[in-house]
């Protein structure tokens, strides 16, 4: 089960991380990439089980490999705590229909983060030697 209060990163730190990720990605499109070995034979049933019930325990949770955040409008003195939750599939890609953005005051912020999440890449969750789908939550403090 995802942490209901995932760690927060200030926007300035996110900008530094995003710039570093773009520099490290080394691809013309700016989309983060990394090599992921395919699941070994025999993992199909484990993947199917976790696809049907993503809340099942895993040996390791998904970990970010590329999170590029969209530019955000100036919020003045106000800040907002936004939580982005979605399912990361066994290939390390967020499942579009599972993305939920909560806490964003502006609809544009919610839309921009939802769209940006489709470019994010992860090292998927693991059960034994198998990559499996699992939920992921991320908290952002926008200042």
């Amino acid at each position: 089960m995802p942490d209901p209060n995932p760690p927060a990163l200030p926007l300035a730190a996110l900008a530094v991380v995003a710039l570093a990720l773009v520099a490290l990605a080394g691809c013309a499109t700016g989309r983060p990439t990394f090599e992921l070995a395919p699941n070994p034979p025999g993992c199909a049933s484990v993947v199917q089980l976790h696809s049907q019930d993503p809340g099942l325990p895993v040996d390791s949770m998904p970990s970010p490999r590329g999170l590029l955040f969209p530019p955000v409008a100036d919020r003045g003195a106000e800040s907002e705590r936004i939580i982005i939750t979605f399912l990361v599939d066994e290939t390390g890609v967020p499942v579009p229909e599972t993305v939920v953005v909560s806490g964003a005051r502006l609809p544009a912020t919610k839309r921009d983060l939802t769209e940006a999440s489709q470019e994010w890449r992860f090292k998927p969750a693991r059960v034994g030697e198998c990559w499996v789908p699992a939920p992921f939550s991320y908290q952002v403090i926008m200042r």
Side-chain angles (χ1 to χ4, degrees), residues 5-115:
N5 294 308
L9 289 176
L11 188 55
L14 291 174
V16 170
V17 170
L19 289 173
L21 289 171
V22 168
L24 291 174
C27 60
T29 64
R31 174 183 245 175
T33 60
F34 71 100
E35 294 296 318
L36 178 66
N39 266 333
C43 286
S45 62
V46 178
V47 171
Q48 182 178 11
L49 185 63
H50 280 266
S51 295
Q52 293 169 348
D53 187 358
L56 290 173
V58 295
D59 297 333
S60 65
M61 294 300 291
S63 58
R65 291 294 181 252
L67 302 180
L68 301 178
F69 284 83
V72 292
D74 181 17
R75 284 164 174 59
E78 294 187 42
S79 66
E80 54 189 329
R81 178 177 171 248
I82 301 171
I83 298 177
I84 307 160
T85 305
F86 47 85
L87 185 70
V88 175
D89 73 14
E90 68 275 11
T91 67
V93 176
V95 177
E97 59 273 12
T98 67
V99 177
V100 175
V101 178
S102 58
R105 287 191 299 272
L106 299 174
T109 301
K110 183 176 181 176
R111 181 198 65 233
D112 292 347
L113 286 170
T114 299
E115 288 175 3

